Amino acid sequence: MYCIVLNSGNFESLDLAEFESGPSAEKYSVATQLLIGGVTGWCTGFIFQKVGKLAATTVGGGFFLLQLANYTGYIKVDWQRVEKDMKKTKEQLKIRKSNQIPTEVKSKAEEVVSFVKKNVLVTGGFFGGFSLGMAS
């Protein structure tokens, strides 16, 4: 069985039999690994979807209430101060902006790639299940 993965901007064909020596593959069959990944992915996707809707509703409702309070005169917004603070923030972001990726991010990315390669079946099942959970 073969799988195509993106590695450093290039597509690469991997023989899945080569990766069945990972920690989870030693204990479980291919079908079990896919099932475990799929079920955990679906649960994660479903919860992520529900929490995302709740967070969006909370943020949107809070924004609506603030606008309503501003419109009715309960609060006053100092728009000149907001504009001044936004300009200051933009300048700080321009100063910090660079094309270099921090070494911590690179090392974490390498860890993730290594984990995915060692557990390609579980990871594939997880992402498939996650997609289905988000669609549920």
Side-chain angles (χ1 to χ4, degrees), residues 3-24:
C3 175
I4 297 177
V5 296
L6 182 65
N7 187 14
S8 302
N10 299 317
F11 288 103
E12 185 179 317
S13 177
L14 299 175
D15 183 7
L16 295 181
E18 177 182 321
F19 294 103
E20 288 187 337
S21 61
S24 61

Side-chain angles (χ1 to χ4, degrees), residues 114-133:
S114 173
F115 176 81
V116 169
K117 282 185 176 180
K118 288 179 184 173
N119 300 290
V120 81
L121 295 172
V122 175
T123 305
F126 177 84
F127 285 116
F130 184 82
S131 300
L132 289 174

Side-chain angles (χ1 to χ4, degrees), residues 2-65:
Y2 289 90
C3 175
I4 297 177
V5 296
L6 182 65
N7 187 14
S8 302
N10 299 317
F11 288 103
E12 185 179 317
S13 177
L14 299 175
D15 183 7
L16 295 181
E18 177 182 321
F19 294 103
E20 288 187 337
S21 61
S24 61
E26 293 173 1
K27 299 177 187 174
Y28 304 107
S29 69
V30 171
T32 305
Q33 290 180 62
L34 287 172
L35 183 66
I36 290 171
V39 169
T40 56
W42 184 86
C43 291
T44 304
F46 186 78
I47 291 169
F48 191 80
Q49 176 201 37
K50 297 298 179 187
V51 170
K53 284 182 180 178
L54 178 65
T57 302
T58 303
V59 169
F63 181 72
F64 174 74
L65 289 175

Side-chain angles (χ1 to χ4, degrees), residues 7 18 20-21 27-28 40 45 49 56-57 67-68 72 75 78 80 89 93 96 99 106 110 113 117 119 121 124 128:
N7 187 14
E18 177 182 321
E20 288 187 337
S21 61
K27 299 177 187 174
Y28 304 107
T40 56
Q49 176 201 37
T57 302
Q67 289 296 329
L68 183 65
T72 56
I75 61 173
D78 185 359
Q80 290 178 346
T89 303
L93 288 174
R96 293 182 188 171
N99 293 333
K106 282 184 181 179
E110 288 170 1
V113 168
K117 282 185 176 180
N119 300 290
L121 295 172

